[in-house]
Amino acid sequence: MYCEKNPNNEYLRLLVDKFWKFNQSAANLEPLYIHPDGSTDVIVRENANGETSLFACGVMSRTRKVAIEKGDSFWGIRFKPGMASLCLGIPINEITDDLIELNLISKNLSRLLHNELIKGLSFRGLEESIFEALFNNFDSFDSFYLKAKQIRMIGSITFGNLSKVAEEVNSSRRTLLREFKTHYGLSFREFSTLNKFIKFKTKIDNGTLLSLSELALECGYYCLLYTSPSPRDGL
């Protein structure tokens, strides 16, 4: 069973897409296929024996298969693209396509979540933990808001407005592209390709009357052959 919740806090709504929970049914132990979505997640995993592990899942460039065991349950914080670095305090491209123990990159958030586990984890506990961890990194709400605004502006670049955005953030084109990868986990070109893939897959999942070739063109592909995040992946 899967459920999710939007953040209540107005500042966290700039940072977090969803808080989520997943319990594995004993009747269904098929592996999960996790598709790239441009996001970074912090995940708490608890097995049937009550043993827990906390880790960060970086931005993925390819579909991953995850083995699930009977009795596994998961809680998660899904950050909006580009925003995880504000809380975790690391360049997000350092954990692209990787699962890493949370304690190795954010001892503070790891400690806060462990405290919530002792009390009994809840959506409210996730929100309180991420809020405290976030503002441990900033002097004020204003400084956080300004940094979040800058990251959103960096994320707005396209092949046509790169120079304009660089000027608006007082940066060179080269520095801007480097900042993009730092916060979004992929290069601008890779992230642009990923967004096309997400749009393509979403339209297929929702049902479409278009042929695959027509759909590929609508999503920005030149050819159906390029409808995956990288040449190693398929739908």
Side-chain angles (χ1 to χ4, degrees), residues 54 105 170 204 235:
L54 285 70
I105 58 175
N170 194 28
I204 289 179
L235 293 174

Side-chain angles (χ1 to χ4, degrees), residues 56-141:
C57 176
V59 175
M60 294 187 297
S61 66
R62 62 184 74 87
T63 298
R64 290 294 185 94
K65 182 171 71 172
V66 179
I68 302 295
E69 298 180 2
K70 181 178 179 180
D72 278 353
S73 64
F74 300 84
W75 293 83
I77 303 163
R78 180 176 301 119
F79 293 97
K80 291 184 176 180
M83 295 297 174
S85 59
L86 296 181
C87 183
L88 299 181
I90 63 165
I92 294 304
N93 59 303
E94 291 185 358
I95 59 172
T96 296
D97 282 321
D98 199 6
L99 286 174
I100 187 167
E101 291 182 28
L102 185 59
N103 187 56
L104 297 177
I105 58 175
S106 179
K107 294 184 183 298
N108 187 41
L109 180 56
S110 180
R111 174 184 59 80
L112 291 167
L113 288 173
H114 271 299
N115 290 342
E116 289 298 328
L117 281 166
I118 294 172
K119 295 186 291 185
L121 198 55
S122 64
F123 282 129
R124 180 177 179 179
L126 287 178
E127 186 153 353
E128 290 176 351
S129 295
I130 203 72
F131 183 80
E132 184 174 342
L134 173 65
F135 286 101
N136 187 57
N137 297 335
F138 290 92
D139 296 330
S140 66
F141 292 137

Side-chain angles (χ1 to χ4, degrees), residues 81 149-158 165 176 180 184 188 191 195:
K149 181 180 179 181
Q150 181 185 39
I151 292 174
R152 287 201 307 271
M153 186 173 291
I154 291 171
S156 72
I157 64 175
T158 66
V165 175
L176 181 63
F180 186 98
Y184 287 84
F188 167 62
F191 201 83
N195 278 332

Side-chain angles (χ1 to χ4, degrees), residues 11 43-44 103 174 200:
Y11 292 101
I43 302 172
V44 180
N103 187 56
R174 183 175 182 179
F200 186 87

